[in-house]
Amino acid sequence: IKNQPKNEEKIMKLLFTTILGLIIAVSANAYEGGSTNVQVHFDKDWSVFKTSEIAQGDKVLFMYDLERLSECRSTYNGVKAWTINAYVKFDNESNIRRYSIGNISEFRLTIPSEATSMEVWFSNTGRGCNTTYDSNYGENYNFSIAKK
C-alpha cells in the first residue's frame, strides 16, 4: 500500500484545516459578553448598511460577504493559504485592530466608551497573491459613533 502515507497526510491536513477553522470561528466570535446591539453588513453587491445607529459601548456584529474580495483563493499542498482581514480604527488613534475573518465572514467588537468615530477596511491576501483591498477606494468605511 504505497499510497497510504500520502492518504494519511491528506486526511491529517484536512483534519488540521477543519480544527483550525473551528478554533478561528470560536475566537472570531468571542467578545466581551452580552448580546449584539448593532449589525453592520458589507454585502456582495457593494452595499454597506447598519441595522441601527452605533453608540459608545455597543456590541457590534460585522457581517462581510467574502465575494467582495475574491481575487485570492490560493492553496498550498492542498490546504487553504489565503485570508481576509478586517481592520478597525477608532477616532484618530494610531492603534489599528485586526480581525482575521478568513472564511468565517464575521467578527464582533465592543465600541470603546470614549469613541466618536470608526474606520473599517478589509484586505485579501495569500500565498502567491497580490494583496487586494476593500477600502471604499482608499477612503475606508467611516461610521459616526453616538454618545450614550
Side-chain angles (χ1 to χ4, degrees):
I1 304 177
K2 290 182 178 180
N3 291 335
Q4 186 173 1
K6 287 188 177 185
N7 288 337
E8 286 178 4
E9 185 177 315
K10 286 182 180 180
I11 291 169
M12 290 305 292
K13 285 179 184 176
L14 179 61
L15 181 61
F16 174 76
T17 303
T18 302
I19 291 171
L20 182 60
L22 290 172
I23 290 169
I24 292 171
V26 169
S27 64
N29 289 315
Y31 65 100
E32 303 162 17
S35 61
T36 301
N37 302 81
V38 181
Q39 292 181 8
V40 179
H41 296 259
F42 293 83
D43 290 339
K44 71 179 176 180
D45 66 0
W46 296 97
S47 63
V48 177
F49 70 92
K50 55 188 178 173
T51 56
S52 65
E53 180 178 65
I54 301 171
Q56 297 167 339
D58 277 352
K59 291 168 178 39
V60 181
L61 170 63
F62 291 85
M63 307 284 293
Y64 188 82
D65 192 311
L66 301 178
E67 291 302 310
R68 289 174 68 107
L69 284 175
S70 60
E71 290 82 2
C72 181
R73 295 297 185 262
S74 60
T75 59
Y76 181 72
N77 288 332
V79 178
K80 176 185 163 236
W82 63 272
T83 192
I84 292 181
N85 291 306
Y87 303 90
V88 179
K89 182 177 171 184
F90 291 100
D91 301 310
N92 291 320
E93 66 183 26
S94 60
N95 182 36
I96 298 172
R97 302 171 190 212
R98 183 177 65 85
Y99 300 86
S100 179
I101 59 176
N103 52 359
I104 298 158
S105 75
E106 66 181 47
F107 69 99
R108 301 169 191 251
L109 63 82
T110 301
I111 303 296
S113 61
E114 300 298 318
T116 59
S117 66
M118 172 177 64
E119 290 181 57
V120 180
W121 68 98
F122 303 87
S123 71
N124 178 204
T125 188
R127 183 179 176 90
C129 300
N130 291 323
T131 301
T132 54
Y133 294 92
D134 178 359
S135 62
N136 195 23
Y137 301 99
E139 297 295 317
N140 298 337
Y141 297 96
N142 295 283
F143 300 91
S144 296
I145 298 174
K147 294 185 181 203
K148 273 201 173 176

